[in-house]
mmCIF file of all heavy atoms in Angstrom:
data_model
loop_
_atom_site.group_PDB
_atom_site.id
_atom_site.type_symbol
_atom_site.label_atom_id
_atom_site.label_comp_id
_atom_site.label_asym_id
_atom_site.label_seq_id
_atom_site.Cartn_x
_atom_site.Cartn_y
_atom_site.Cartn_z
ATOM 1 N N ALA A 248 -9.463 10.028 6.847
ATOM 2 C CA ALA A 248 -9.262 9.352 5.605
ATOM 3 C C ALA A 248 -8.189 10.107 4.746
ATOM 4 O O ALA A 248 -7.950 11.284 4.891
ATOM 5 C CB ALA A 248 -10.631 9.468 4.805
ATOM 6 N N ALA A 249 -7.511 9.316 3.853
ATOM 7 C CA ALA A 249 -6.409 9.891 3.167
ATOM 8 C C ALA A 249 -6.573 9.529 1.644
ATOM 9 O O ALA A 249 -7.074 8.401 1.293
ATOM 10 C CB ALA A 249 -5.094 9.339 3.592
ATOM 11 N N GLU A 250 -6.102 10.357 0.812
ATOM 12 C CA GLU A 250 -6.115 10.151 -0.617
ATOM 13 C C GLU A 250 -4.983 10.858 -1.301
ATOM 14 O O GLU A 250 -4.699 11.969 -0.961
ATOM 15 C CB GLU A 250 -7.462 10.607 -1.271
ATOM 16 C CG GLU A 250 -7.646 10.270 -2.696
ATOM 17 C CD GLU A 250 -8.944 10.758 -3.244
ATOM 18 O OE1 GLU A 250 -10.007 10.338 -2.728
ATOM 19 O OE2 GLU A 250 -8.932 11.613 -4.174
ATOM 20 N N ALA A 251 -4.284 10.097 -2.125
ATOM 21 C CA ALA A 251 -3.109 10.716 -2.860
ATOM 22 C C ALA A 251 -3.348 10.655 -4.443
ATOM 23 O O ALA A 251 -4.303 10.057 -4.797
ATOM 24 C CB ALA A 251 -1.860 9.937 -2.476
ATOM 25 N N LEU A 252 -2.481 11.283 -5.133
ATOM 26 C CA LEU A 252 -2.553 11.302 -6.534
ATOM 27 C C LEU A 252 -1.331 10.458 -7.072
ATOM 28 O O LEU A 252 -0.150 10.749 -6.573
ATOM 29 C CB LEU A 252 -2.461 12.701 -7.135
ATOM 30 C CG LEU A 252 -3.617 13.654 -6.711
ATOM 31 C CD1 LEU A 252 -3.359 14.979 -7.362
ATOM 32 C CD2 LEU A 252 -4.967 13.075 -7.061
ATOM 33 N N LEU A 253 -1.523 9.525 -7.955
ATOM 34 C CA LEU A 253 -0.453 8.820 -8.564
ATOM 35 C C LEU A 253 -0.148 9.405 -9.945
ATOM 36 O O LEU A 253 -1.075 9.493 -10.833
ATOM 37 C CB LEU A 253 -0.884 7.314 -8.703
ATOM 38 C CG LEU A 253 0.069 6.360 -9.426
ATOM 39 C CD1 LEU A 253 1.379 6.290 -8.686
ATOM 40 C CD2 LEU A 253 -0.566 4.979 -9.517
ATOM 41 N N LEU A 254 1.034 9.824 -10.074
ATOM 42 C CA LEU A 254 1.406 10.635 -11.293
ATOM 43 C C LEU A 254 2.520 9.944 -12.130
ATOM 44 O O LEU A 254 3.515 9.502 -11.536
ATOM 45 C CB LEU A 254 1.895 11.967 -10.873
ATOM 46 C CG LEU A 254 2.205 13.016 -11.976
ATOM 47 C CD1 LEU A 254 0.898 13.527 -12.487
ATOM 48 C CD2 LEU A 254 3.023 14.160 -11.404
ATOM 49 N N LEU A 255 2.325 9.719 -13.427
ATOM 50 C CA LEU A 255 3.281 9.121 -14.291
ATOM 51 C C LEU A 255 3.433 10.001 -15.514
ATOM 52 O O LEU A 255 2.517 10.689 -15.898
ATOM 53 C CB LEU A 255 2.760 7.721 -14.822
ATOM 54 C CG LEU A 255 2.853 6.525 -13.802
ATOM 55 C CD1 LEU A 255 1.695 6.579 -12.853
ATOM 56 C CD2 LEU A 255 2.844 5.207 -14.567
ATOM 57 N N ASP A 256 4.647 9.974 -16.062
ATOM 58 C CA ASP A 256 4.852 10.618 -17.370
ATOM 59 C C ASP A 256 4.833 9.575 -18.397
ATOM 60 O O ASP A 256 4.743 8.350 -18.177
ATOM 61 C CB ASP A 256 6.118 11.438 -17.345
ATOM 62 C CG ASP A 256 7.426 10.585 -17.295
ATOM 63 O OD1 ASP A 256 7.351 9.367 -16.960
ATOM 64 O OD2 ASP A 256 8.563 11.078 -17.466
ATOM 65 N N GLN A 257 5.032 9.895 -19.680
ATOM 66 C CA GLN A 257 4.967 8.934 -20.825
ATOM 67 C C GLN A 257 6.056 7.891 -20.723
ATOM 68 O O GLN A 257 5.854 6.718 -21.000
ATOM 69 C CB GLN A 257 5.064 9.629 -22.123
ATOM 70 C CG GLN A 257 4.760 8.823 -23.322
ATOM 71 C CD GLN A 257 3.317 8.306 -23.241
ATOM 72 O OE1 GLN A 257 2.366 9.117 -23.108
ATOM 73 N NE2 GLN A 257 3.103 6.965 -23.409
ATOM 74 N N GLN A 258 7.245 8.274 -20.252
ATOM 75 C CA GLN A 258 8.413 7.307 -20.081
ATOM 76 C C GLN A 258 8.007 6.232 -19.069
ATOM 77 O O GLN A 258 8.265 5.060 -19.292
ATOM 78 C CB GLN A 258 9.689 7.996 -19.703
ATOM 79 C CG GLN A 258 10.878 7.093 -19.729
ATOM 80 C CD GLN A 258 12.124 7.861 -19.372
ATOM 81 O OE1 GLN A 258 12.159 9.042 -19.108
ATOM 82 N NE2 GLN A 258 13.245 7.136 -19.359
ATOM 83 N N ALA A 259 7.394 6.661 -17.987
ATOM 84 C CA ALA A 259 6.958 5.745 -16.931
ATOM 85 C C ALA A 259 5.845 4.755 -17.462
ATOM 86 O O ALA A 259 5.826 3.563 -17.263
ATOM 87 C CB ALA A 259 6.521 6.428 -15.665
ATOM 88 N N VAL A 260 4.917 5.308 -18.266
ATOM 89 C CA VAL A 260 3.863 4.540 -18.866
ATOM 90 C C VAL A 260 4.481 3.546 -19.823
ATOM 91 O O VAL A 260 4.048 2.400 -19.795
ATOM 92 C CB VAL A 260 2.924 5.491 -19.655
ATOM 93 C CG1 VAL A 260 2.001 4.691 -20.561
ATOM 94 C CG2 VAL A 260 2.137 6.390 -18.710
ATOM 95 N N ASN A 261 5.424 3.970 -20.650
ATOM 96 C CA ASN A 261 6.064 2.975 -21.590
ATOM 97 C C ASN A 261 6.801 1.907 -20.839
ATOM 98 O O ASN A 261 6.768 0.733 -21.299
ATOM 99 C CB ASN A 261 6.994 3.760 -22.500
ATOM 100 C CG ASN A 261 6.224 4.657 -23.435
ATOM 101 O OD1 ASN A 261 5.041 4.534 -23.658
ATOM 102 N ND2 ASN A 261 7.011 5.594 -24.059
ATOM 103 N N LYS A 262 7.453 2.218 -19.708
ATOM 104 C CA LYS A 262 8.188 1.278 -18.939
ATOM 105 C C LYS A 262 7.159 0.227 -18.331
ATOM 106 O O LYS A 262 7.480 -0.977 -18.273
ATOM 107 C CB LYS A 262 8.974 1.922 -17.842
ATOM 108 C CG LYS A 262 9.771 0.987 -16.993
ATOM 109 C CD LYS A 262 10.836 0.258 -17.745
ATOM 110 C CE LYS A 262 11.708 -0.659 -16.845
ATOM 111 N NZ LYS A 262 12.803 -1.305 -17.505
ATOM 112 N N PHE A 263 6.056 0.725 -17.871
ATOM 113 C CA PHE A 263 5.035 -0.179 -17.239
ATOM 114 C C PHE A 263 4.482 -1.092 -18.311
ATOM 115 O O PHE A 263 4.158 -2.236 -18.109
ATOM 116 C CB PHE A 263 3.973 0.641 -16.610
ATOM 117 C CG PHE A 263 2.836 -0.140 -15.962
ATOM 118 C CD1 PHE A 263 3.032 -0.836 -14.763
ATOM 119 C CD2 PHE A 263 1.675 -0.312 -16.666
ATOM 120 C CE1 PHE A 263 2.022 -1.589 -14.243
ATOM 121 C CE2 PHE A 263 0.592 -1.028 -16.104
ATOM 122 C CZ PHE A 263 0.826 -1.713 -14.860
ATOM 123 N N GLY A 264 4.292 -0.587 -19.608
ATOM 124 C CA GLY A 264 3.776 -1.333 -20.586
ATOM 125 C C GLY A 264 2.482 -0.643 -21.077
ATOM 126 O O GLY A 264 1.516 -0.535 -20.339
ATOM 127 N N LEU A 265 2.498 -0.169 -22.360
ATOM 128 C CA LEU A 265 1.401 0.648 -22.770
ATOM 129 C C LEU A 265 0.099 -0.147 -22.823
ATOM 130 O O LEU A 265 -0.991 0.427 -22.442
ATOM 131 C CB LEU A 265 1.679 1.216 -24.112
ATOM 132 C CG LEU A 265 0.652 2.160 -24.894
ATOM 133 C CD1 LEU A 265 0.521 3.395 -23.877
ATOM 134 C CD2 LEU A 265 1.165 2.646 -26.173
ATOM 135 N N ALA A 266 0.049 -1.373 -23.172
ATOM 136 C CA ALA A 266 -1.089 -2.139 -23.305
ATOM 137 C C ALA A 266 -1.701 -2.323 -21.895
ATOM 138 O O ALA A 266 -2.929 -2.172 -21.670
ATOM 139 C CB ALA A 266 -0.855 -3.530 -23.928
ATOM 140 N N ALA A 267 -0.867 -2.669 -20.898
ATOM 141 C CA ALA A 267 -1.359 -2.837 -19.520
ATOM 142 C C ALA A 267 -1.860 -1.554 -18.985
ATOM 143 O O ALA A 267 -2.902 -1.455 -18.249
ATOM 144 C CB ALA A 267 -0.201 -3.436 -18.650
ATOM 145 N N PHE A 268 -1.156 -0.426 -19.237
ATOM 146 C CA PHE A 268 -1.536 0.863 -18.740
ATOM 147 C C PHE A 268 -2.910 1.279 -19.236
ATOM 148 O O PHE A 268 -3.712 1.854 -18.523
ATOM 149 C CB PHE A 268 -0.480 1.908 -19.078
ATOM 150 C CG PHE A 268 -0.783 3.265 -18.551
ATOM 151 C CD1 PHE A 268 -0.599 3.583 -17.200
ATOM 152 C CD2 PHE A 268 -1.364 4.218 -19.423
ATOM 153 C CE1 PHE A 268 -1.014 4.870 -16.711
ATOM 154 C CE2 PHE A 268 -1.698 5.481 -18.935
ATOM 155 C CZ PHE A 268 -1.476 5.816 -17.525
ATOM 156 N N ASN A 269 -3.085 1.022 -20.574
ATOM 157 C CA ASN A 269 -4.357 1.404 -21.195
ATOM 158 C C ASN A 269 -5.591 0.709 -20.540
ATOM 159 O O ASN A 269 -6.690 1.190 -20.705
ATOM 160 C CB ASN A 269 -4.315 1.230 -22.627
ATOM 161 C CG ASN A 269 -3.662 2.368 -23.388
ATOM 162 O OD1 ASN A 269 -3.580 3.505 -22.899
ATOM 163 N ND2 ASN A 269 -3.041 2.103 -24.571
ATOM 164 N N PHE A 270 -5.350 -0.389 -19.916
ATOM 165 C CA PHE A 270 -6.434 -1.123 -19.211
ATOM 166 C C PHE A 270 -6.902 -0.207 -18.156
ATOM 167 O O PHE A 270 -8.164 -0.011 -17.941
ATOM 168 C CB PHE A 270 -5.978 -2.462 -18.698
ATOM 169 C CG PHE A 270 -6.970 -3.097 -17.825
ATOM 170 C CD1 PHE A 270 -8.139 -3.694 -18.247
ATOM 171 C CD2 PHE A 270 -6.782 -3.043 -16.410
ATOM 172 C CE1 PHE A 270 -9.042 -4.232 -17.422
ATOM 173 C CE2 PHE A 270 -7.717 -3.642 -15.498
ATOM 174 C CZ PHE A 270 -8.830 -4.309 -16.020
ATOM 175 N N TYR A 271 -5.949 0.363 -17.344
ATOM 176 C CA TYR A 271 -6.361 1.259 -16.196
ATOM 177 C C TYR A 271 -6.785 2.618 -16.760
ATOM 178 O O TYR A 271 -7.685 3.259 -16.150
ATOM 179 C CB TYR A 271 -5.201 1.383 -15.309
ATOM 180 C CG TYR A 271 -4.724 0.079 -14.715
ATOM 181 C CD1 TYR A 271 -3.452 -0.463 -15.096
ATOM 182 C CD2 TYR A 271 -5.516 -0.601 -13.738
ATOM 183 C CE1 TYR A 271 -3.060 -1.664 -14.558
ATOM 184 C CE2 TYR A 271 -5.055 -1.850 -13.165
ATOM 185 C CZ TYR A 271 -3.829 -2.363 -13.645
ATOM 186 O OH TYR A 271 -3.401 -3.541 -13.048
ATOM 187 N N HIS A 272 -6.139 3.014 -17.874
ATOM 188 C CA HIS A 272 -6.425 4.388 -18.341
ATOM 189 C C HIS A 272 -7.760 4.512 -19.202
ATOM 190 O O HIS A 272 -8.683 5.223 -18.873
ATOM 191 C CB HIS A 272 -5.230 4.847 -19.194
ATOM 192 C CG HIS A 272 -5.446 6.297 -19.802
ATOM 193 N ND1 HIS A 272 -4.807 6.642 -20.945
ATOM 194 C CD2 HIS A 272 -6.165 7.317 -19.393
ATOM 195 C CE1 HIS A 272 -5.135 7.811 -21.240
ATOM 196 N NE2 HIS A 272 -5.949 8.347 -20.350
ATOM 197 N N ARG A 273 -7.745 3.663 -20.208
ATOM 198 C CA ARG A 273 -8.875 3.757 -21.151
ATOM 199 C C ARG A 273 -10.042 2.829 -20.817
ATOM 200 O O ARG A 273 -11.212 3.239 -20.843
ATOM 201 C CB ARG A 273 -8.388 3.529 -22.593
ATOM 202 C CG ARG A 273 -7.287 4.490 -22.992
ATOM 203 C CD ARG A 273 -6.956 4.375 -24.483
ATOM 204 N NE ARG A 273 -5.907 5.246 -24.871
ATOM 205 C CZ ARG A 273 -6.012 6.577 -25.076
ATOM 206 N NH1 ARG A 273 -7.164 7.154 -24.885
ATOM 207 N NH2 ARG A 273 -4.911 7.271 -25.428
ATOM 208 N N ALA A 274 -9.710 1.565 -20.483
ATOM 209 C CA ALA A 274 -10.802 0.573 -20.154
ATOM 210 C C ALA A 274 -11.482 0.939 -18.840
ATOM 211 O O ALA A 274 -12.758 0.925 -18.758
ATOM 212 C CB ALA A 274 -10.273 -0.779 -20.180
ATOM 213 N N LYS A 275 -10.719 1.210 -17.753
ATOM 214 C CA LYS A 275 -11.274 1.489 -16.455
ATOM 215 C C LYS A 275 -11.525 2.902 -16.234
ATOM 216 O O LYS A 275 -12.373 3.222 -15.349
ATOM 217 C CB LYS A 275 -10.428 0.903 -15.379
ATOM 218 C CG LYS A 275 -10.084 -0.672 -15.528
ATOM 219 C CD LYS A 275 -11.366 -1.418 -15.454
ATOM 220 C CE LYS A 275 -12.014 -1.405 -14.038
ATOM 221 N NZ LYS A 275 -13.221 -2.266 -13.958
ATOM 222 N N GLY A 276 -10.821 3.813 -16.884
ATOM 223 C CA GLY A 276 -11.012 5.214 -16.638
ATOM 224 C C GLY A 276 -10.481 5.765 -15.366
ATOM 225 O O GLY A 276 -10.855 6.867 -14.903
ATOM 226 N N PHE A 277 -9.430 5.123 -14.886
ATOM 227 C CA PHE A 277 -8.841 5.544 -13.582
ATOM 228 C C PHE A 277 -7.866 6.747 -13.706
ATOM 229 O O PHE A 277 -7.791 7.546 -12.931
ATOM 230 C CB PHE A 277 -8.146 4.402 -12.867
ATOM 231 C CG PHE A 277 -8.942 3.307 -12.409
ATOM 232 C CD1 PHE A 277 -8.497 1.962 -12.521
ATOM 233 C CD2 PHE A 277 -10.214 3.517 -11.908
ATOM 234 C CE1 PHE A 277 -9.352 0.911 -12.111
ATOM 235 C CE2 PHE A 277 -11.030 2.440 -11.494
ATOM 236 C CZ PHE A 277 -10.582 1.173 -11.605
ATOM 237 N N PHE A 278 -7.148 6.798 -14.861
ATOM 238 C CA PHE A 278 -6.142 7.831 -15.168
ATOM 239 C C PHE A 278 -6.799 8.985 -16.046
ATOM 240 O O PHE A 278 -7.679 8.636 -16.883
ATOM 241 C CB PHE A 278 -4.934 7.268 -15.839
ATOM 242 C CG PHE A 278 -3.955 6.595 -14.911
ATOM 243 C CD1 PHE A 278 -4.064 5.196 -14.666
ATOM 244 C CD2 PHE A 278 -2.998 7.347 -14.234
ATOM 245 C CE1 PHE A 278 -3.198 4.558 -13.845
ATOM 246 C CE2 PHE A 278 -2.071 6.647 -13.408
ATOM 247 C CZ PHE A 278 -2.180 5.308 -13.193
ATOM 248 N N GLN A 279 -6.348 10.157 -15.810
ATOM 249 C CA GLN A 279 -6.655 11.257 -16.714
ATOM 250 C C GLN A 279 -5.350 11.917 -17.192
ATOM 251 O O GLN A 279 -4.482 12.155 -16.396
ATOM 252 C CB GLN A 279 -7.479 12.285 -15.951
ATOM 253 C CG GLN A 279 -7.875 13.520 -16.776
ATOM 254 C CD GLN A 279 -8.826 14.433 -16.124
ATOM 255 O OE1 GLN A 279 -9.623 13.997 -15.229
ATOM 256 N NE2 GLN A 279 -8.742 15.747 -16.307
ATOM 257 N N ALA A 280 -5.329 12.219 -18.450
ATOM 258 C CA ALA A 280 -4.116 12.841 -19.021
ATOM 259 C C ALA A 280 -4.252 14.372 -18.799
ATOM 260 O O ALA A 280 -5.288 14.979 -19.000
ATOM 261 C CB ALA A 280 -4.038 12.571 -20.513
ATOM 262 N N VAL A 281 -3.183 15.057 -18.340
ATOM 263 C CA VAL A 281 -3.098 16.445 -18.244
ATOM 264 C C VAL A 281 -1.824 16.935 -18.838
ATOM 265 O O VAL A 281 -0.875 16.239 -19.036
ATOM 266 C CB VAL A 281 -3.104 16.891 -16.702
ATOM 267 C CG1 VAL A 281 -4.391 16.378 -16.078
ATOM 268 C CG2 VAL A 281 -1.888 16.348 -15.970
ATOM 269 N N GLU A 282 -1.814 18.257 -19.202
ATOM 270 C CA GLU A 282 -0.656 18.768 -19.913
ATOM 271 C C GLU A 282 0.196 19.626 -18.899
ATOM 272 O O GLU A 282 -0.104 20.728 -18.570
ATOM 273 C CB GLU A 282 -1.112 19.656 -21.079
ATOM 274 C CG GLU A 282 -1.778 18.810 -22.164
ATOM 275 C CD GLU A 282 -0.897 17.757 -22.672
ATOM 276 O OE1 GLU A 282 0.371 17.883 -22.895
ATOM 277 O OE2 GLU A 282 -1.452 16.524 -22.834
ATOM 278 N N GLY A 283 1.227 19.008 -18.397
ATOM 279 C CA GLY A 283 2.193 19.659 -17.554
ATOM 280 C C GLY A 283 1.641 20.247 -16.324
ATOM 281 O O GLY A 283 0.599 19.872 -15.833
ATOM 282 N N ALA A 284 2.350 21.334 -15.786
ATOM 283 C CA ALA A 284 1.930 21.929 -14.551
ATOM 284 C C ALA A 284 0.601 22.545 -14.614
ATOM 285 O O ALA A 284 -0.190 22.456 -13.741
ATOM 286 C CB ALA A 284 3.074 22.940 -14.066
ATOM 287 N N SER A 285 0.329 23.257 -15.692
ATOM 288 C CA SER A 285 -0.943 23.968 -15.839
ATOM 289 C C SER A 285 -2.092 22.983 -15.867
ATOM 290 O O SER A 285 -3.143 23.247 -15.263
ATOM 291 C CB SER A 285 -0.968 24.844 -17.047
ATOM 292 O OG SER A 285 -0.806 24.016 -18.265
ATOM 293 N N GLY A 286 -1.958 21.907 -16.555
ATOM 294 C CA GLY A 286 -2.949 20.854 -16.567
ATOM 295 C C GLY A 286 -3.261 20.240 -15.116
ATOM 296 O O GLY A 286 -4.344 19.984 -14.745
ATOM 297 N N LEU A 287 -2.138 20.023 -14.416
ATOM 298 C CA LEU A 287 -2.250 19.478 -13.059
ATOM 299 C C LEU A 287 -2.857 20.471 -12.157
ATOM 300 O O LEU A 287 -3.732 20.065 -11.276
ATOM 301 C CB LEU A 287 -0.856 19.078 -12.594
ATOM 302 C CG LEU A 287 -0.809 18.271 -11.274
ATOM 303 C CD1 LEU A 287 -1.664 17.024 -11.379
ATOM 304 C CD2 LEU A 287 0.616 17.987 -10.858
ATOM 305 N N VAL A 288 -2.635 21.777 -12.297
ATOM 306 C CA VAL A 288 -3.288 22.755 -11.542
ATOM 307 C C VAL A 288 -4.852 22.764 -11.755
ATOM 308 O O VAL A 288 -5.618 22.796 -10.842
ATOM 309 C CB VAL A 288 -2.686 24.129 -11.815
ATOM 310 C CG1 VAL A 288 -3.576 25.279 -11.261
ATOM 311 C CG2 VAL A 288 -1.255 24.284 -11.286
ATOM 312 N N GLN A 289 -5.133 22.666 -13.071
ATOM 313 C CA GLN A 289 -6.592 22.675 -13.367
ATOM 314 C C GLN A 289 -7.210 21.436 -12.846
ATOM 315 O O GLN A 289 -8.392 21.459 -12.372
ATOM 316 C CB GLN A 289 -6.751 22.701 -14.887
ATOM 317 C CG GLN A 289 -8.177 22.804 -15.410
ATOM 318 C CD GLN A 289 -8.274 22.906 -16.857
ATOM 319 O OE1 GLN A 289 -7.281 22.981 -17.593
ATOM 320 N NE2 GLN A 289 -9.529 22.957 -17.442
ATOM 321 N N TYR A 290 -6.528 20.263 -12.943
ATOM 322 C CA TYR A 290 -7.105 18.948 -12.423
ATOM 323 C C TYR A 290 -7.332 19.096 -10.967
ATOM 324 O O TYR A 290 -8.470 18.740 -10.377
ATOM 325 C CB TYR A 290 -6.126 17.913 -12.714
ATOM 326 C CG TYR A 290 -6.541 16.510 -12.108
ATOM 327 C CD1 TYR A 290 -7.258 15.615 -12.851
ATOM 328 C CD2 TYR A 290 -6.172 16.156 -10.826
ATOM 329 C CE1 TYR A 290 -7.634 14.419 -12.311
ATOM 330 C CE2 TYR A 290 -6.468 14.924 -10.256
ATOM 331 C CZ TYR A 290 -7.226 14.077 -11.021
ATOM 332 O OH TYR A 290 -7.651 12.875 -10.523
ATOM 333 N N LEU A 291 -6.379 19.653 -10.187
ATOM 334 C CA LEU A 291 -6.545 19.713 -8.636
ATOM 335 C C LEU A 291 -7.540 20.761 -8.364
ATOM 336 O O LEU A 291 -8.302 20.545 -7.344
ATOM 337 C CB LEU A 291 -5.202 20.101 -8.046
ATOM 338 C CG LEU A 291 -4.317 18.863 -7.974
ATOM 339 C CD1 LEU A 291 -2.854 19.286 -7.559
ATOM 340 C CD2 LEU A 291 -4.804 17.869 -6.873
ATOM 341 N N THR A 292 -7.649 21.826 -9.084
ATOM 342 C CA THR A 292 -8.671 22.859 -8.808
ATOM 343 C C THR A 292 -10.113 22.313 -8.981
ATOM 344 O O THR A 292 -11.008 22.412 -8.139
ATOM 345 C CB THR A 292 -8.516 24.021 -9.699
ATOM 346 O OG1 THR A 292 -7.206 24.710 -9.525
ATOM 347 C CG2 THR A 292 -9.574 25.080 -9.503
ATOM 348 N N THR A 293 -10.297 21.485 -10.063
ATOM 349 C CA THR A 293 -11.588 20.804 -10.195
ATOM 350 C C THR A 293 -11.866 19.816 -9.187
ATOM 351 O O THR A 293 -12.927 19.739 -8.665
ATOM 352 C CB THR A 293 -11.603 20.172 -11.628
ATOM 353 O OG1 THR A 293 -11.337 21.198 -12.627
ATOM 354 C CG2 THR A 293 -12.917 19.520 -11.868
ATOM 355 N N LEU A 294 -10.821 19.017 -8.786
ATOM 356 C CA LEU A 294 -11.004 17.967 -7.837
ATOM 357 C C LEU A 294 -11.331 18.469 -6.443
ATOM 358 O O LEU A 294 -12.259 17.975 -5.717
ATOM 359 C CB LEU A 294 -9.752 17.113 -7.746
ATOM 360 C CG LEU A 294 -9.687 16.017 -6.682
ATOM 361 C CD1 LEU A 294 -10.750 14.908 -7.018
ATOM 362 C CD2 LEU A 294 -8.318 15.302 -6.651
ATOM 363 N N THR A 295 -10.631 19.557 -5.952
ATOM 364 C CA THR A 295 -10.838 19.998 -4.597
ATOM 365 C C THR A 295 -11.897 21.080 -4.488
ATOM 366 O O THR A 295 -12.443 21.436 -3.403
ATOM 367 C CB THR A 295 -9.507 20.550 -4.141
ATOM 368 O OG1 THR A 295 -9.106 21.696 -4.859
ATOM 369 C CG2 THR A 295 -8.401 19.526 -4.186
ATOM 370 N N GLY A 296 -12.281 21.766 -5.635
ATOM 371 C CA GLY A 296 -13.257 22.788 -5.618
ATOM 372 C C GLY A 296 -12.653 24.155 -5.118
ATOM 373 O O GLY A 296 -13.382 25.047 -4.881
ATOM 374 N N SER A 297 -11.313 24.247 -4.972
ATOM 375 C CA SER A 297 -10.639 25.500 -4.674
ATOM 376 C C SER A 297 -9.391 25.668 -5.484
ATOM 377 O O SER A 297 -8.909 24.663 -5.900
ATOM 378 C CB SER A 297 -10.314 25.505 -3.131
ATOM 379 O OG SER A 297 -9.472 24.454 -2.824
ATOM 380 N N PRO A 298 -8.979 26.917 -5.646
ATOM 381 C CA PRO A 298 -7.773 27.109 -6.578
ATOM 382 C C PRO A 298 -6.522 26.332 -6.018
ATOM 383 O O PRO A 298 -6.149 26.449 -4.835
ATOM 384 C CB PRO A 298 -7.558 28.638 -6.387
ATOM 385 C CG PRO A 298 -8.880 29.206 -6.061
ATOM 386 C CD PRO A 298 -9.507 28.133 -5.196
#
Side-chain angles (χ1 to χ4, degrees):
E250 184 180 299
L252 303 179
L253 177 59
L254 188 74
L255 286 78
D256 69 348
Q257 191 63 52
Q258 188 178 0
V260 167
N261 293 341
K262 180 65 177 179
F263 179 76
L265 187 58
F268 180 79
N269 278 337
F270 170 75
Y271 300 108
H272 178 208
R273 301 190 184 281
K275 302 299 292 184
F277 294 144
F278 280 94
Q279 180 174 327
V281 300
E282 294 305 317
S285 61
L287 189 56
V288 168
Q289 184 176 357
Y290 175 91
L291 282 168
T292 298
T293 301
L294 177 63
T295 63
S297 60

